Amino acid sequence: MKNILDRNQNKAEEIRGLLNEKKVLMVNIISSPGAGKTTLLERTIGELGSKFRIGVIEGDITTDRDAQRLKRFNIPIVVINTEGGCHLDSHSISKVIDFFDLDALDILFVENVGNLICPSQWDLGETFKLAVVSTTEGDDKPAKYPLLFREATAVLLNKTDLIPYTNFSHESFITDLKKINSQVTLFEISCTRGDGLNNWYNWISERVIK
Amino acid sequence: MKNILDRNQNKAEEIRGLLNEKKVLMVNIISSPGAGKTTLLERTIGELGSKFRIGVIEGDITTDRDAQRLKRFNIPIVVINTEGGCHLDSHSISKVIDFFDLDALDILFVENVGNLICPSQWDLGETFKLAVVSTTEGDDKPAKYPLLFREATAVLLNKTDLIPYTNFSHESFITDLKKINSQVTLFEISCTRGDGLNNWYNWISERVIK
């Protein structure tokens, strides 16, 4: 296992070097199944697609359903089907990176396999990890799945529009999250309603490499 | 990997034999994080705890929060913290099974680690697997994560009370699910409101080994 992780790390550093050289921001998006990663991408590409050149790697066990949802934006998309694999790794990224014209790209979003655990353990060569968590999963996710929340540069708390219909405690969520990662940037959003997304758009825009 | 899975399978068969001999029904409950496994257990133990002798194994990466929620029922509970591990396996079950007085147990619920992928690949020696999926995760979960839905004897579709506030398509969900597993038993429930739970209680009661 240590060998596999070492080899993954070496390949990830290679990818990170290449993307830095090409000035491509790579965001590794991690969440539970159905937390709203694809809807976030639909919103973000819809808003920022005219300002920045965006590409997407869609990681899924099977099917190209998420990629189909993004087709209308007419941007470069690659689907990686892991065929049962519970996360992407740097070798799977390396195999598809040549599909993109990196000189003509500002942001490369990687939608990882829907899984709050394994993807956090694998460096893909990303600029940073982004955690998406939805209010309907409950307020205890940072405490129960700490690795992702420790590793993430930013957390998007999605489905805030559903809080009134759940027993989600905002205070518990924030307290646990800050205990695990006091430096993390938090955005509270509803991707279906559009609430809170402007702050996210501004923040990610500032991160694009000039 | 094949060796590890073979060894897991052997130990699982050993556990299955022991539980059959002791007439204990073991249910391996699998879902995404926050789909409602613990709330289902609270409801089910509350309803059936006076009729049957119930024990619980709580699988979590870290913390004993789920076990704390069940403490008030005064039933035997064992917590397995996987410390980063993304699923339980038969060896982890084997190490704790002696904690229970199997002669004084009718049902042993195993709440697996919150993960829609890896737990499906590991036989714990259970009588059957139970999939819990919530409407707020979206209607595409069976299509995108087929293994669990193929392996499960029953599926509980939870959080039906939230359907009006989401774009969940009941028809898509059912069509995909039946394509993957035409034999599966489906219960549509809301664990917070209590909707649809009587059918589940009756069904699980009939499965207790006499």
Side-chain angles (χ1 to χ4, degrees), chain A residues 32-34 38 60-63 65-66 69 84-86 111 113-118 121 136-137 140-141 143-146 159 161-162 165-166 176, chain B residues 32-34 38 60-63 65-66 69 84-86 111 113-118 121 136-137 140-141 143-146 159 161-162 165-166 176:
Chain A
S32 298
T38 314
D60 262 313
I61 288 180
T62 183
T63 84
R65 290 195 178 200
D66 292 347
R69 289 171 58 186
C86 52
E111 182 174 344
V113 177
N115 181 340
L116 213 47
I117 308 171
C118 319
Q121 298 163 352
T136 47
E137 294 169 65
D140 58 358
K141 293 301 148 297
K144 290 185 60 188
Y145 303 84
K159 307 191 189 178
D161 55 308
L162 296 180
Y165 313 111
T166 68
D176 286 347
Chain B
S32 298
T38 314
D60 263 313
I61 289 180
T62 182
T63 83
R65 289 195 179 199
D66 291 347
R69 289 171 58 187
C86 52
E111 182 174 345
V113 177
N115 182 340
L116 213 47
I117 308 171
C118 319
Q121 299 163 352
T136 48
E137 294 170 66
D140 59 359
K141 293 303 147 301
K144 291 184 60 187
Y145 302 84
K159 307 192 190 179
D161 55 307
L162 297 180
Y165 314 112
T166 68
D176 287 346

Side-chain angles (χ1 to χ4, degrees), chain A residues 20-138:
Chain A
N20 265 336
E21 189 195 309
K22 299 289 187 182
K23 298 187 176 173
V24 176
L25 178 78
M26 175 169 150
V27 184
N28 182 1
I29 309 175
I30 301 175
S31 84
S32 298
K37 295 186 293 305
T38 314
T39 311
L40 174 73
L41 284 176
E42 290 179 291
R43 283 280 187 180
T44 305
I45 298 164
E47 177 71 20
L48 300 181
S50 55
K51 281 187 216 149
F52 302 112
R53 298 163 301 174
I54 300 175
V56 174
I57 295 175
E58 279 292 350
D60 262 313
I61 288 180
T62 183
T63 84
D64 63 351
R65 290 195 178 200
D66 292 347
Q68 290 293 342
R69 289 171 58 186
L70 301 181
K71 234 173 61 176
R72 66 192 156 102
F73 294 110
N74 204 21
I75 58 167
I77 303 173
V78 176
V79 176
I80 301 177
N81 275 159
T82 62
E83 308 296 345
C86 52
H87 61 85
L88 297 176
D89 63 20
S90 59
H91 290 86
S92 57
I93 300 295
S94 170
K95 275 181 202 153
V96 301
I97 201 102
D98 287 343
F99 172 84
F100 297 95
D101 177 1
L102 296 178
D103 292 313
L105 211 60
D106 298 309
I107 308 177
L108 179 57
F109 287 115
V110 180
E111 182 174 344
N112 219 312
V113 177
N115 181 340
L116 213 47
I117 308 171
C118 319
S120 322
Q121 298 163 352
W122 298 80
D123 188 351
L124 305 183
E126 69 271 351
T127 316
F128 63 85
K129 289 186 177 70
L130 178 73
V132 180
V133 60
S134 58
T135 61
T136 47
E137 294 169 65

Side-chain angles (χ1 to χ4, degrees), chain B residues 33-164:
Chain B
K37 295 185 295 303
T38 314
T39 312
L40 174 74
L41 285 177
E42 289 178 291
R43 283 279 187 181
T44 305
I45 298 163
E47 177 70 21
L48 300 180
S50 55
K51 280 187 217 150
F52 302 112
R53 299 162 299 173
I54 300 175
V56 175
I57 296 176
E58 280 291 350
D60 263 313
I61 289 180
T62 182
T63 83
D64 65 350
R65 289 195 179 199
D66 291 347
Q68 289 294 341
R69 289 171 58 187
L70 302 180
K71 234 172 62 176
R72 64 191 157 103
F73 294 110
N74 204 20
I75 58 167
I77 304 173
V78 176
V79 177
I80 302 177
N81 276 159
T82 62
E83 308 295 344
C86 52
H87 60 87
L88 296 176
D89 62 21
S90 59
H91 290 87
S92 58
I93 300 294
S94 169
K95 276 181 201 152
V96 302
I97 200 100
D98 288 342
F99 172 83
F100 297 95
D101 177 2
L102 296 177
D103 292 313
L105 211 59
D106 299 308
I107 309 176
L108 179 57
F109 287 115
V110 180
E111 182 174 345
N112 218 313
V113 177
N115 182 340
L116 213 47
I117 308 171
C118 319
S120 322
Q121 299 163 352
W122 298 80
D123 187 352
L124 305 184
E126 68 271 351
T127 316
F128 64 86
K129 289 185 176 71
L130 179 74
V132 180
V133 58
S134 58
T135 61
T136 48
E137 294 170 66
D139 48 53
D140 59 359
K141 293 303 147 301
K144 291 184 60 187
Y145 302 84
L147 182 60
L148 172 61
F149 296 93
R150 198 175 295 135
E151 293 267 316
T153 298
V155 170
L156 301 193
L157 175 63
N158 192 21
K159 307 192 190 179
T160 52
D161 55 307
L162 297 180
I163 290 182

Side-chain angles (χ1 to χ4, degrees), chain A residues 15 18 47 104 184:
Chain A
I15 293 168
L18 174 67
E47 177 71 20
V184 77

